[in-house]
Structures are given as structure tokens and as C-alpha cells.
Amino acid sequence: IWVSRLENGKWSAPEEVANGIQSDTKRYPCWNPVLFQPHLQPGGSEPTDALPLLLFYKVGPDPESWWGMLTTSSDGGKHWTAPRRLPEPFVGPIKNKPIQLANGDILCGSSTEFDGWRIHMERTSDLGLTWQSTGPLHDGKEIGAIQPSLLTYPNGRLRAVGRTQDSGKVYEIWSEDSGQTWGTMKLTELPNPNSGTDAVTLRSGAQWIVYNHTTKGRSPLNVAIADGEVHWKSAITLESEPGEYSYPAIIQTRDGLVHITYTWKRQRIKHVVIKP
């Protein structure tokens, strides 16, 4: 896993922060880095800038047997602590950023691929030291689903959306109690070609999703905005040429701008900034 920082309009030289080395003779790949910056102390309090930046990732030979890892930075990603393994069986956020709830809990959308594709939620109340899990939220048979992104609504309502294995659509599943319990998984109207998505709730309350608007391949790459709680409306086409544009991540920064990164033809990382 490599990290690059955007400073004064330029990206810094990439620096290695995780390598998967187990011993002199064994090395496993590192997977699916997830950066998250909490702003509430555990227990909930006034926002603070004093909390560490968290980097979650996976290590292991394959997605069926990988495990969760965590390293932290107290200076915005310049220096990192020694990585530590999450307690089993927790794996942390599987691809997309977590959210921080009003009580300070960090809620992570997670999933497994060893007994069908199934999502679950993991929660930490102490910045990643100890964890709780919901267990699988569906059986993985009718809908194979992984890599949830979490969208927030008033009164503790949450919606998770993400990638399906062979259903051809983005899935959704709702919680009415801040992620403690969840309803029945359903398919949305948005297409999905078994590719990663990401979504974010803007401070205005708008819900954005980045996804491939196709059922085959990974082009085009699009942004849609929720139109109510059922429908989505087309907003932006990020890429439309032949190629693979995938594994997007989306955040909103303090200045209100929306930042999206994604892989560009499996050759580079592309960074797009959008004024909502």
C-alpha cells in the first residue's frame, strides 16, 4: 500500500506504508486500502482535529482468507504507526470508507466472500481497538453483495449501497436505528457489472454515488444523485471512452468540494474535483 499527499496543488512522491511481508520467505498481497479521518472522540463530543488518520487494509493470499489490518497517522499521513492486525474475525471496512455516528462510534460496511457474497456491519467505539459485528445481513443466495457504502439520513436512518456479483444492479439495504439492525436487501434501478462503487452523503443532505452505468465491462464511469429514497438521477459522466474505470472513492472536503478518485485503465489513479 502506498500513500501520496496532495500539498499545494501537487501530489507528493508515493511512500510505502504496508507491504504484506510475513517473514524472510513469505509475503502476501495487500488489498483494498481505506482511509478515514474521524472527528469525534469516542463517546461523542465536540468535533476535534486531534484524532489520528486511520488506514484500514487487508493482507492475505485471497479475499476468502485475508485478514484486516490497521495503521494510524497523527500528522495527516506523513508518518504511520506499525501496522497491527484487527482481532479475529473482524476485517474492518472492506473497500469503502466508514462513517462516524453522533455517539462517536465508527460504523464500517464490511463483507465476506467465503460462503457466498454477504455483507455485514462492524462497529468500533474506541478508534479500532475493540469491535462488534452484526453478522451477515442476508444469505448471499438471492443477491450476492459486497463492499457497502453507507449513506446517512435524519433520525438515525442509514442506507447501504454497493456491488453485486451477478444481479446486474446496485443493491440497497436500510437501517432505522443507526445500523444496529437492518431490513431486507433489494436491488436498485442502477446497473452494476460486478464492479466496485462508492457513495457519500453531502453536508447538504444530497446523496451521491459513483458507479459504472453498464451491466458489462467497467466503462462508462458515472455519478448519480438520489432523487428521493427510491430513484436516482444522472449527474455526471466521468469517463465514457473504452477502457476500465473502476474502484472509485468519493468524499466531500471542508470547502464543500467533492473529490473522486478511481483507477484509470489499471494504469494510473485519476483524481477529479467537483463543485456541487
PDB file of all heavy atoms in Angstrom, residues 36-43 51-52 54 56 70 92-93 97-109 121-132 150 178:
ATOM      1  N   PHE A  36      -9.688   6.913   6.521  1.00  0.00           N
ATOM      2  CA  PHE A  36     -10.805   7.561   7.211  1.00  0.00           C
ATOM      3  C   PHE A  36     -10.275   8.487   8.289  1.00  0.00           C
ATOM      4  O   PHE A  36      -9.410   8.101   9.080  1.00  0.00           O
ATOM      5  CB  PHE A  36     -11.747   6.528   7.834  1.00  0.00           C
ATOM      6  CG  PHE A  36     -12.918   7.156   8.529  1.00  0.00           C
ATOM      7  CD1 PHE A  36     -13.874   7.859   7.819  1.00  0.00           C
ATOM      8  CD2 PHE A  36     -13.052   7.069   9.912  1.00  0.00           C
ATOM      9  CE1 PHE A  36     -14.946   8.461   8.462  1.00  0.00           C
ATOM     10  CE2 PHE A  36     -14.124   7.663  10.552  1.00  0.00           C
ATOM     11  CZ  PHE A  36     -15.075   8.358   9.828  1.00  0.00           C
ATOM     12  N   GLN A  37     -10.824   9.700   8.314  1.00  0.00           N
ATOM     13  CA  GLN A  37     -10.443  10.685   9.318  1.00  0.00           C
ATOM     14  C   GLN A  37     -11.605  10.928  10.286  1.00  0.00           C
ATOM     15  O   GLN A  37     -12.548  11.636   9.954  1.00  0.00           O
ATOM     16  CB  GLN A  37     -10.053  12.012   8.660  1.00  0.00           C
ATOM     17  CG  GLN A  37      -9.672  13.101   9.647  1.00  0.00           C
ATOM     18  CD  GLN A  37      -8.449  12.728  10.464  1.00  0.00           C
ATOM     19  OE1 GLN A  37      -7.340  12.630   9.938  1.00  0.00           O
ATOM     20  NE2 GLN A  37      -8.635  12.524  11.765  1.00  0.00           N
ATOM     21  N   PRO A  38     -11.570  10.327  11.481  1.00  0.00           N
ATOM     22  CA  PRO A  38     -12.625  10.615  12.471  1.00  0.00           C
ATOM     23  C   PRO A  38     -12.472  12.025  13.028  1.00  0.00           C
ATOM     24  O   PRO A  38     -11.357  12.568  13.072  1.00  0.00           O
ATOM     25  CB  PRO A  38     -12.395   9.552  13.545  1.00  0.00           C
ATOM     26  CG  PRO A  38     -10.951   9.185  13.416  1.00  0.00           C
ATOM     27  CD  PRO A  38     -10.582   9.350  11.978  1.00  0.00           C
ATOM     28  N   HIS A  39     -13.584  12.598  13.466  1.00  0.00           N
ATOM     29  CA  HIS A  39     -13.569  13.948  14.036  1.00  0.00           C
ATOM     30  C   HIS A  39     -14.275  14.031  15.383  1.00  0.00           C
ATOM     31  O   HIS A  39     -14.305  15.089  15.997  1.00  0.00           O
ATOM     32  CB  HIS A  39     -14.200  14.944  13.069  1.00  0.00           C
ATOM     33  CG  HIS A  39     -13.355  15.225  11.863  1.00  0.00           C
ATOM     34  ND1 HIS A  39     -12.168  15.914  11.929  1.00  0.00           N
ATOM     35  CD2 HIS A  39     -13.525  14.884  10.559  1.00  0.00           C
ATOM     36  CE1 HIS A  39     -11.635  16.007  10.710  1.00  0.00           C
ATOM     37  NE2 HIS A  39     -12.433  15.387   9.869  1.00  0.00           N
ATOM     38  N   LEU A  40     -14.854  12.930  15.849  1.00  0.00           N
ATOM     39  CA  LEU A  40     -15.493  12.902  17.161  1.00  0.00           C
ATOM     40  C   LEU A  40     -14.744  11.937  18.064  1.00  0.00           C
ATOM     41  O   LEU A  40     -14.436  10.812  17.663  1.00  0.00           O
ATOM     42  CB  LEU A  40     -16.955  12.468  17.046  1.00  0.00           C
ATOM     43  CG  LEU A  40     -17.931  13.434  16.389  1.00  0.00           C
ATOM     44  CD1 LEU A  40     -19.305  12.780  16.272  1.00  0.00           C
ATOM     45  CD2 LEU A  40     -18.035  14.726  17.187  1.00  0.00           C
ATOM     46  N   GLN A  41     -14.488  12.355  19.288  1.00  0.00           N
ATOM     47  CA  GLN A  41     -13.893  11.453  20.265  1.00  0.00           C
ATOM     48  C   GLN A  41     -14.851  10.302  20.557  1.00  0.00           C
ATOM     49  O   GLN A  41     -16.070  10.453  20.446  1.00  0.00           O
ATOM     50  CB  GLN A  41     -13.611  12.205  21.567  1.00  0.00           C
ATOM     51  CG  GLN A  41     -12.514  13.248  21.459  1.00  0.00           C
ATOM     52  CD  GLN A  41     -11.114  12.666  21.495  1.00  0.00           C
ATOM     53  OE1 GLN A  41     -10.937  11.446  21.590  1.00  0.00           O
ATOM     54  NE2 GLN A  41     -10.118  13.530  21.433  1.00  0.00           N
ATOM     55  N   PRO A  42     -14.338   9.130  20.912  1.00  0.00           N
ATOM     56  CA  PRO A  42     -15.227   8.048  21.351  1.00  0.00           C
ATOM     57  C   PRO A  42     -16.162   8.532  22.447  1.00  0.00           C
ATOM     58  O   PRO A  42     -15.753   9.236  23.373  1.00  0.00           O
ATOM     59  CB  PRO A  42     -14.249   6.986  21.859  1.00  0.00           C
ATOM     60  CG  PRO A  42     -12.998   7.219  21.072  1.00  0.00           C
ATOM     61  CD  PRO A  42     -12.921   8.710  20.890  1.00  0.00           C
ATOM     62  N   GLY A  43     -17.429   8.165  22.330  1.00  0.00           N
ATOM     63  CA  GLY A  43     -18.437   8.637  23.262  1.00  0.00           C
ATOM     64  C   GLY A  43     -19.185   9.845  22.767  1.00  0.00           C
ATOM     65  O   GLY A  43     -20.227  10.209  23.315  1.00  0.00           O
ATOM     66  N   LEU A  51      -7.619  13.823  16.312  1.00  0.00           N
ATOM     67  CA  LEU A  51      -7.690  12.372  16.195  1.00  0.00           C
ATOM     68  C   LEU A  51      -6.841  11.872  15.024  1.00  0.00           C
ATOM     69  O   LEU A  51      -6.659  12.566  14.030  1.00  0.00           O
ATOM     70  CB  LEU A  51      -9.147  11.941  16.002  1.00  0.00           C
ATOM     71  CG  LEU A  51     -10.066  12.280  17.172  1.00  0.00           C
ATOM     72  CD1 LEU A  51     -11.506  11.899  16.847  1.00  0.00           C
ATOM     73  CD2 LEU A  51      -9.608  11.591  18.447  1.00  0.00           C
ATOM     74  N   PRO A  52      -6.334  10.650  15.127  1.00  0.00           N
ATOM     75  CA  PRO A  52      -5.452  10.139  14.072  1.00  0.00           C
ATOM     76  C   PRO A  52      -6.218   9.790  12.798  1.00  0.00           C
ATOM     77  O   PRO A  52      -7.408   9.457  12.826  1.00  0.00           O
ATOM     78  CB  PRO A  52      -4.851   8.878  14.711  1.00  0.00           C
ATOM     79  CG  PRO A  52      -5.874   8.435  15.706  1.00  0.00           C
ATOM     80  CD  PRO A  52      -6.465   9.703  16.248  1.00  0.00           C
ATOM     81  N   LEU A  54      -6.903   7.147  10.013  1.00  0.00           N
ATOM     82  CA  LEU A  54      -6.903   5.690  10.045  1.00  0.00           C
ATOM     83  C   LEU A  54      -6.733   5.132   8.634  1.00  0.00           C
ATOM     84  O   LEU A  54      -7.364   5.620   7.695  1.00  0.00           O
ATOM     85  CB  LEU A  54      -8.214   5.163  10.637  1.00  0.00           C
ATOM     86  CG  LEU A  54      -8.668   5.763  11.970  1.00  0.00           C
ATOM     87  CD1 LEU A  54     -10.000   5.136  12.395  1.00  0.00           C
ATOM     88  CD2 LEU A  54      -7.615   5.571  13.046  1.00  0.00           C
ATOM     89  N   PHE A  56      -7.174   1.470   6.978  1.00  0.00           N
ATOM     90  CA  PHE A  56      -7.536   0.060   7.032  1.00  0.00           C
ATOM     91  C   PHE A  56      -7.128  -0.611   5.721  1.00  0.00           C
ATOM     92  O   PHE A  56      -7.221  -0.003   4.648  1.00  0.00           O
ATOM     93  CB  PHE A  56      -9.051  -0.108   7.207  1.00  0.00           C
ATOM     94  CG  PHE A  56      -9.602   0.448   8.492  1.00  0.00           C
ATOM     95  CD1 PHE A  56     -10.127   1.730   8.538  1.00  0.00           C
ATOM     96  CD2 PHE A  56      -9.621  -0.319   9.652  1.00  0.00           C
ATOM     97  CE1 PHE A  56     -10.663   2.239   9.716  1.00  0.00           C
ATOM     98  CE2 PHE A  56     -10.144   0.182  10.829  1.00  0.00           C
ATOM     99  CZ  PHE A  56     -10.665   1.464  10.860  1.00  0.00           C
ATOM    100  N   LEU A  70      -4.683  -2.420  10.434  1.00  0.00           N
ATOM    101  CA  LEU A  70      -4.901  -1.003  10.706  1.00  0.00           C
ATOM    102  C   LEU A  70      -3.576  -0.346  11.063  1.00  0.00           C
ATOM    103  O   LEU A  70      -2.794  -0.875  11.853  1.00  0.00           O
ATOM    104  CB  LEU A  70      -5.890  -0.831  11.866  1.00  0.00           C
ATOM    105  CG  LEU A  70      -6.089   0.596  12.396  1.00  0.00           C
ATOM    106  CD1 LEU A  70      -6.663   1.505  11.332  1.00  0.00           C
ATOM    107  CD2 LEU A  70      -6.997   0.571  13.633  1.00  0.00           C
ATOM    108  N   GLY A  92     -12.733  -5.042   9.332  1.00  0.00           N
ATOM    109  CA  GLY A  92     -12.839  -3.612   9.091  1.00  0.00           C
ATOM    110  C   GLY A  92     -13.607  -3.298   7.820  1.00  0.00           C
ATOM    111  O   GLY A  92     -14.212  -4.178   7.201  1.00  0.00           O
ATOM    112  N   PRO A  93     -13.593  -2.023   7.392  1.00  0.00           N
ATOM    113  CA  PRO A  93     -14.290  -1.650   6.154  1.00  0.00           C
ATOM    114  C   PRO A  93     -13.652  -2.368   4.970  1.00  0.00           C
ATOM    115  O   PRO A  93     -12.436  -2.362   4.817  1.00  0.00           O
ATOM    116  CB  PRO A  93     -14.104  -0.138   6.081  1.00  0.00           C
ATOM    117  CG  PRO A  93     -12.868   0.137   6.885  1.00  0.00           C
ATOM    118  CD  PRO A  93     -12.861  -0.890   7.984  1.00  0.00           C
ATOM    119  N   LYS A  97     -15.113   3.803   2.684  1.00  0.00           N
ATOM    120  CA  LYS A  97     -14.907   4.492   3.964  1.00  0.00           C
ATOM    121  C   LYS A  97     -16.046   4.217   4.933  1.00  0.00           C
ATOM    122  O   LYS A  97     -17.213   4.085   4.534  1.00  0.00           O
ATOM    123  CB  LYS A  97     -14.796   5.992   3.719  1.00  0.00           C
ATOM    124  CG  LYS A  97     -16.073   6.568   3.116  1.00  0.00           C
ATOM    125  CD  LYS A  97     -15.877   7.943   2.567  1.00  0.00           C
ATOM    126  CE  LYS A  97     -17.147   8.384   1.840  1.00  0.00           C
ATOM    127  NZ  LYS A  97     -17.478   7.511   0.676  1.00  0.00           N
ATOM    128  N   PRO A  98     -15.760   4.172   6.221  1.00  0.00           N
ATOM    129  CA  PRO A  98     -16.811   4.082   7.236  1.00  0.00           C
ATOM    130  C   PRO A  98     -17.480   5.435   7.435  1.00  0.00           C
ATOM    131  O   PRO A  98     -17.146   6.421   6.755  1.00  0.00           O
ATOM    132  CB  PRO A  98     -16.063   3.634   8.492  1.00  0.00           C
ATOM    133  CG  PRO A  98     -14.634   3.937   8.251  1.00  0.00           C
ATOM    134  CD  PRO A  98     -14.423   4.148   6.793  1.00  0.00           C
ATOM    135  N   ILE A  99     -18.422   5.493   8.362  1.00  0.00           N
ATOM    136  CA  ILE A  99     -18.994   6.751   8.813  1.00  0.00           C
ATOM    137  C   ILE A  99     -18.837   6.815  10.328  1.00  0.00           C
ATOM    138  O   ILE A  99     -18.695   5.786  10.989  1.00  0.00           O
ATOM    139  CB  ILE A  99     -20.481   6.901   8.427  1.00  0.00           C
ATOM    140  CG1 ILE A  99     -21.320   5.785   9.042  1.00  0.00           C
ATOM    141  CG2 ILE A  99     -20.649   6.950   6.918  1.00  0.00           C
ATOM    142  CD1 ILE A  99     -22.822   5.978   8.870  1.00  0.00           C
ATOM    143  N   GLN A 100     -18.850   8.026  10.863  1.00  0.00           N
ATOM    144  CA  GLN A 100     -18.818   8.186  12.310  1.00  0.00           C
ATOM    145  C   GLN A 100     -20.186   8.667  12.769  1.00  0.00           C
ATOM    146  O   GLN A 100     -20.708   9.670  12.269  1.00  0.00           O
ATOM    147  CB  GLN A 100     -17.720   9.154  12.743  1.00  0.00           C
ATOM    148  CG  GLN A 100     -17.463   9.116  14.244  1.00  0.00           C
ATOM    149  CD  GLN A 100     -16.175   9.801  14.649  1.00  0.00           C
ATOM    150  OE1 GLN A 100     -15.717  10.725  13.981  1.00  0.00           O
ATOM    151  NE2 GLN A 100     -15.569   9.349  15.754  1.00  0.00           N
ATOM    152  N   LEU A 101     -20.762   7.937  13.724  1.00  0.00           N
ATOM    153  CA  LEU A 101     -22.092   8.256  14.229  1.00  0.00           C
ATOM    154  C   LEU A 101     -22.003   9.349  15.287  1.00  0.00           C
ATOM    155  O   LEU A 101     -20.918   9.701  15.761  1.00  0.00           O
ATOM    156  CB  LEU A 101     -22.732   6.995  14.803  1.00  0.00           C
ATOM    157  CG  LEU A 101     -22.845   5.813  13.833  1.00  0.00           C
ATOM    158  CD1 LEU A 101     -23.388   4.581  14.551  1.00  0.00           C
ATOM    159  CD2 LEU A 101     -23.712   6.170  12.618  1.00  0.00           C
ATOM    160  N   ALA A 102     -23.161   9.884  15.676  1.00  0.00           N
ATOM    161  CA  ALA A 102     -23.205  11.000  16.616  1.00  0.00           C
ATOM    162  C   ALA A 102     -22.595  10.654  17.967  1.00  0.00           C
ATOM    163  O   ALA A 102     -22.102  11.534  18.676  1.00  0.00           O
ATOM    164  CB  ALA A 102     -24.648  11.475  16.787  1.00  0.00           C
ATOM    165  N   ASN A 103     -22.616   9.375  18.343  1.00  0.00           N
ATOM    166  CA  ASN A 103     -22.034   8.977  19.632  1.00  0.00           C
ATOM    167  C   ASN A 103     -20.536   8.678  19.538  1.00  0.00           C
ATOM    168  O   ASN A 103     -19.934   8.215  20.499  1.00  0.00           O
ATOM    169  CB  ASN A 103     -22.771   7.761  20.186  1.00  0.00           C
ATOM    170  CG  ASN A 103     -22.574   6.513  19.335  1.00  0.00           C
ATOM    171  OD1 ASN A 103     -21.974   6.561  18.267  1.00  0.00           O
ATOM    172  ND2 ASN A 103     -23.091   5.394  19.801  1.00  0.00           N
ATOM    173  N   GLY A 104     -19.935   8.920  18.386  1.00  0.00           N
ATOM    174  CA  GLY A 104     -18.515   8.680  18.198  1.00  0.00           C
ATOM    175  C   GLY A 104     -18.170   7.320  17.637  1.00  0.00           C
ATOM    176  O   GLY A 104     -17.020   7.091  17.230  1.00  0.00           O
ATOM    177  N   ASP A 105     -19.129   6.385  17.618  1.00  0.00           N
ATOM    178  CA  ASP A 105     -18.865   5.069  17.043  1.00  0.00           C
ATOM    179  C   ASP A 105     -18.503   5.195  15.565  1.00  0.00           C
ATOM    180  O   ASP A 105     -19.072   6.024  14.839  1.00  0.00           O
ATOM    181  CB  ASP A 105     -20.098   4.164  17.162  1.00  0.00           C
ATOM    182  CG  ASP A 105     -20.328   3.661  18.565  1.00  0.00           C
ATOM    183  OD1 ASP A 105     -19.556   4.034  19.464  1.00  0.00           O
ATOM    184  OD2 ASP A 105     -21.303   2.905  18.763  1.00  0.00           O
ATOM    185  N   ILE A 106     -17.578   4.364  15.117  1.00  0.00           N
ATOM    186  CA  ILE A 106     -17.245   4.270  13.698  1.00  0.00           C
ATOM    187  C   ILE A 106     -17.916   3.014  13.158  1.00  0.00           C
ATOM    188  O   ILE A 106     -17.673   1.910  13.653  1.00  0.00           O
ATOM    189  CB  ILE A 106     -15.729   4.222  13.483  1.00  0.00           C
ATOM    190  CG1 ILE A 106     -15.100   5.552  13.942  1.00  0.00           C
ATOM    191  CG2 ILE A 106     -15.396   3.945  12.029  1.00  0.00           C
ATOM    192  CD1 ILE A 106     -13.598   5.555  13.904  1.00  0.00           C
ATOM    193  N   LEU A 107     -18.791   3.201  12.179  1.00  0.00           N
ATOM    194  CA  LEU A 107     -19.546   2.094  11.585  1.00  0.00           C
ATOM    195  C   LEU A 107     -18.956   1.781  10.220  1.00  0.00           C
ATOM    196  O   LEU A 107     -18.867   2.662   9.347  1.00  0.00           O
ATOM    197  CB  LEU A 107     -21.016   2.460  11.464  1.00  0.00           C
ATOM    198  CG  LEU A 107     -21.945   1.355  10.964  1.00  0.00           C
ATOM    199  CD1 LEU A 107     -22.029   0.209  11.976  1.00  0.00           C
ATOM    200  CD2 LEU A 107     -23.340   1.909  10.679  1.00  0.00           C
ATOM    201  N   CYS A 108     -18.559   0.527  10.030  1.00  0.00           N
ATOM    202  CA  CYS A 108     -17.875   0.097   8.819  1.00  0.00           C
ATOM    203  C   CYS A 108     -18.754  -0.853   8.019  1.00  0.00           C
ATOM    204  O   CYS A 108     -19.251  -1.846   8.562  1.00  0.00           O
ATOM    205  CB  CYS A 108     -16.571  -0.630   9.166  1.00  0.00           C
ATOM    206  SG  CYS A 108     -15.437   0.319  10.201  1.00  0.00           S
ATOM    207  N   GLY A 109     -18.917  -0.558   6.751  1.00  0.00           N
ATOM    208  CA  GLY A 109     -19.562  -1.504   5.854  1.00  0.00           C
ATOM    209  C   GLY A 109     -18.557  -2.574   5.456  1.00  0.00           C
ATOM    210  O   GLY A 109     -17.506  -2.274   4.881  1.00  0.00           O
ATOM    211  N   MET A 121     -22.030  -5.467   9.069  1.00  0.00           N
ATOM    212  CA  MET A 121     -21.541  -4.199   9.603  1.00  0.00           C
ATOM    213  C   MET A 121     -20.657  -4.447  10.813  1.00  0.00           C
ATOM    214  O   MET A 121     -20.980  -5.283  11.665  1.00  0.00           O
ATOM    215  CB  MET A 121     -22.702  -3.282   9.995  1.00  0.00           C
ATOM    216  CG  MET A 121     -23.616  -2.916   8.846  1.00  0.00           C
ATOM    217  SD  MET A 121     -22.799  -1.895   7.605  1.00  0.00           S
ATOM    218  CE  MET A 121     -23.842  -2.248   6.168  1.00  0.00           C
ATOM    219  N   GLU A 122     -19.552  -3.728  10.884  1.00  0.00           N
ATOM    220  CA  GLU A 122     -18.668  -3.790  12.030  1.00  0.00           C
ATOM    221  C   GLU A 122     -18.582  -2.410  12.668  1.00  0.00           C
ATOM    222  O   GLU A 122     -18.578  -1.398  11.971  1.00  0.00           O
ATOM    223  CB  GLU A 122     -17.273  -4.280  11.609  1.00  0.00           C
ATOM    224  CG  GLU A 122     -17.298  -5.704  11.085  1.00  0.00           C
ATOM    225  CD  GLU A 122     -15.935  -6.240  10.716  1.00  0.00           C
ATOM    226  OE1 GLU A 122     -14.928  -5.510  10.844  1.00  0.00           O
ATOM    227  OE2 GLU A 122     -15.867  -7.404  10.295  1.00  0.00           O
ATOM    228  N   ARG A 123     -18.488  -2.393  13.987  1.00  0.00           N
ATOM    229  CA  ARG A 123     -18.543  -1.140  14.734  1.00  0.00           C
ATOM    230  C   ARG A 123     -17.433  -1.125  15.777  1.00  0.00           C
ATOM    231  O   ARG A 123     -17.189  -2.112  16.474  1.00  0.00           O
ATOM    232  CB  ARG A 123     -19.906  -1.035  15.434  1.00  0.00           C
ATOM    233  CG  ARG A 123     -20.142   0.213  16.266  1.00  0.00           C
ATOM    234  CD  ARG A 123     -21.459   0.079  17.025  1.00  0.00           C
ATOM    235  NE  ARG A 123     -22.579  -0.166  16.150  1.00  0.00           N
ATOM    236  CZ  ARG A 123     -23.483   0.752  15.812  1.00  0.00           C
ATOM    237  NH1 ARG A 123     -23.406   1.964  16.296  1.00  0.00           N
ATOM    238  NH2 ARG A 123     -24.481   0.448  15.001  1.00  0.00           N
ATOM    239  N   THR A 124     -16.756   0.022  15.853  1.00  0.00           N
ATOM    240  CA  THR A 124     -15.754   0.213  16.903  1.00  0.00           C
ATOM    241  C   THR A 124     -16.055   1.501  17.648  1.00  0.00           C
ATOM    242  O   THR A 124     -16.345   2.535  17.037  1.00  0.00           O
ATOM    243  CB  THR A 124     -14.319   0.240  16.333  1.00  0.00           C
ATOM    244  OG1 THR A 124     -13.394   0.546  17.390  1.00  0.00           O
ATOM    245  CG2 THR A 124     -14.162   1.257  15.220  1.00  0.00           C
ATOM    246  N   SER A 125     -15.990   1.442  18.969  1.00  0.00           N
ATOM    247  CA  SER A 125     -16.265   2.604  19.818  1.00  0.00           C
ATOM    248  C   SER A 125     -14.993   3.235  20.367  1.00  0.00           C
ATOM    249  O   SER A 125     -15.066   4.201  21.130  1.00  0.00           O
ATOM    250  CB  SER A 125     -17.181   2.196  20.987  1.00  0.00           C
ATOM    251  OG  SER A 125     -18.396   1.667  20.510  1.00  0.00           O
ATOM    252  N   ASP A 126     -13.822   2.688  19.983  1.00  0.00           N
ATOM    253  CA  ASP A 126     -12.561   3.173  20.533  1.00  0.00           C
ATOM    254  C   ASP A 126     -11.474   3.265  19.453  1.00  0.00           C
ATOM    255  O   ASP A 126     -10.326   2.886  19.680  1.00  0.00           O
ATOM    256  CB  ASP A 126     -12.104   2.290  21.691  1.00  0.00           C
ATOM    257  CG  ASP A 126     -12.142   0.806  21.348  1.00  0.00           C
ATOM    258  OD1 ASP A 126     -12.184   0.470  20.134  1.00  0.00           O
ATOM    259  OD2 ASP A 126     -12.138  -0.016  22.278  1.00  0.00           O
ATOM    260  N   LEU A 127     -11.875   3.742  18.276  1.00  0.00           N
ATOM    261  CA  LEU A 127     -10.936   4.003  17.184  1.00  0.00           C
ATOM    262  C   LEU A 127     -10.180   2.752  16.744  1.00  0.00           C
ATOM    263  O   LEU A 127      -8.995   2.805  16.410  1.00  0.00           O
ATOM    264  CB  LEU A 127      -9.949   5.112  17.570  1.00  0.00           C
ATOM    265  CG  LEU A 127     -10.566   6.466  17.955  1.00  0.00           C
ATOM    266  CD1 LEU A 127      -9.490   7.470  18.338  1.00  0.00           C
ATOM    267  CD2 LEU A 127     -11.422   7.018  16.812  1.00  0.00           C
ATOM    268  N   GLY A 128     -10.865   1.617  16.747  1.00  0.00           N
ATOM    269  CA  GLY A 128     -10.297   0.418  16.166  1.00  0.00           C
ATOM    270  C   GLY A 128      -9.662  -0.561  17.116  1.00  0.00           C
ATOM    271  O   GLY A 128      -9.090  -1.564  16.677  1.00  0.00           O
ATOM    272  N   LEU A 129      -9.752  -0.326  18.429  1.00  0.00           N
ATOM    273  CA  LEU A 129      -9.164  -1.275  19.376  1.00  0.00           C
ATOM    274  C   LEU A 129     -10.056  -2.493  19.582  1.00  0.00           C
ATOM    275  O   LEU A 129      -9.600  -3.633  19.537  1.00  0.00           O
ATOM    276  CB  LEU A 129      -8.888  -0.574  20.709  1.00  0.00           C
ATOM    277  CG  LEU A 129      -7.829   0.534  20.684  1.00  0.00           C
ATOM    278  CD1 LEU A 129      -7.721   1.182  22.054  1.00  0.00           C
ATOM    279  CD2 LEU A 129      -6.476  -0.025  20.239  1.00  0.00           C
ATOM    280  N   THR A 130     -11.344  -2.256  19.839  1.00  0.00           N
ATOM    281  CA  THR A 130     -12.298  -3.353  20.031  1.00  0.00           C
ATOM    282  C   THR A 130     -13.449  -3.184  19.050  1.00  0.00           C
ATOM    283  O   THR A 130     -13.742  -2.075  18.589  1.00  0.00           O
ATOM    284  CB  THR A 130     -12.833  -3.377  21.468  1.00  0.00           C
ATOM    285  OG1 THR A 130     -13.511  -2.140  21.749  1.00  0.00           O
ATOM    286  CG2 THR A 130     -11.691  -3.562  22.457  1.00  0.00           C
ATOM    287  N   TRP A 131     -14.132  -4.309  18.773  1.00  0.00           N
ATOM    288  CA  TRP A 131     -15.100  -4.325  17.681  1.00  0.00           C
ATOM    289  C   TRP A 131     -16.351  -5.108  18.052  1.00  0.00           C
ATOM    290  O   TRP A 131     -16.326  -5.993  18.906  1.00  0.00           O
ATOM    291  CB  TRP A 131     -14.463  -4.968  16.444  1.00  0.00           C
ATOM    292  CG  TRP A 131     -13.352  -4.155  15.869  1.00  0.00           C
ATOM    293  CD1 TRP A 131     -12.051  -4.118  16.291  1.00  0.00           C
ATOM    294  CD2 TRP A 131     -13.435  -3.258  14.770  1.00  0.00           C
ATOM    295  NE1 TRP A 131     -11.322  -3.252  15.524  1.00  0.00           N
ATOM    296  CE2 TRP A 131     -12.145  -2.708  14.579  1.00  0.00           C
ATOM    297  CE3 TRP A 131     -14.475  -2.871  13.921  1.00  0.00           C
ATOM    298  CZ2 TRP A 131     -11.866  -1.780  13.572  1.00  0.00           C
ATOM    299  CZ3 TRP A 131     -14.203  -1.955  12.919  1.00  0.00           C
ATOM    300  CH2 TRP A 131     -12.916  -1.412  12.748  1.00  0.00           C
ATOM    301  N   GLN A 132     -17.433  -4.786  17.347  1.00  0.00           N
ATOM    302  CA  GLN A 132     -18.680  -5.550  17.373  1.00  0.00           C
ATOM    303  C   GLN A 132     -19.139  -5.759  15.943  1.00  0.00           C
ATOM    304  O   GLN A 132     -18.805  -4.958  15.051  1.00  0.00           O
ATOM    305  CB  GLN A 132     -19.773  -4.808  18.151  1.00  0.00           C
ATOM    306  CG  GLN A 132     -19.470  -4.600  19.624  1.00  0.00           C
ATOM    307  CD  GLN A 132     -20.533  -3.751  20.295  1.00  0.00           C
ATOM    308  OE1 GLN A 132     -20.896  -2.685  19.798  1.00  0.00           O
ATOM    309  NE2 GLN A 132     -21.052  -4.228  21.411  1.00  0.00           N
ATOM    310  N   LEU A 150     -22.002   3.607   3.040  1.00  0.00           N
ATOM    311  CA  LEU A 150     -23.040   3.998   3.989  1.00  0.00           C
ATOM    312  C   LEU A 150     -23.485   5.435   3.749  1.00  0.00           C
ATOM    313  O   LEU A 150     -22.658   6.356   3.717  1.00  0.00           O
ATOM    314  CB  LEU A 150     -22.536   3.841   5.416  1.00  0.00           C
ATOM    315  CG  LEU A 150     -22.267   2.392   5.837  1.00  0.00           C
ATOM    316  CD1 LEU A 150     -21.468   2.343   7.124  1.00  0.00           C
ATOM    317  CD2 LEU A 150     -23.572   1.631   5.995  1.00  0.00           C
ATOM    318  N   SER A 178     -29.579   3.507  13.371  1.00  0.00           N
ATOM    319  CA  SER A 178     -28.139   3.807  13.351  1.00  0.00           C
ATOM    320  C   SER A 178     -27.277   2.566  13.140  1.00  0.00           C
ATOM    321  O   SER A 178     -26.163   2.470  13.650  1.00  0.00           O
ATOM    322  CB  SER A 178     -27.715   4.524  14.643  1.00  0.00           C
ATOM    323  OG  SER A 178     -28.369   5.764  14.761  1.00  0.00           O
TER     324      SER A 178
END
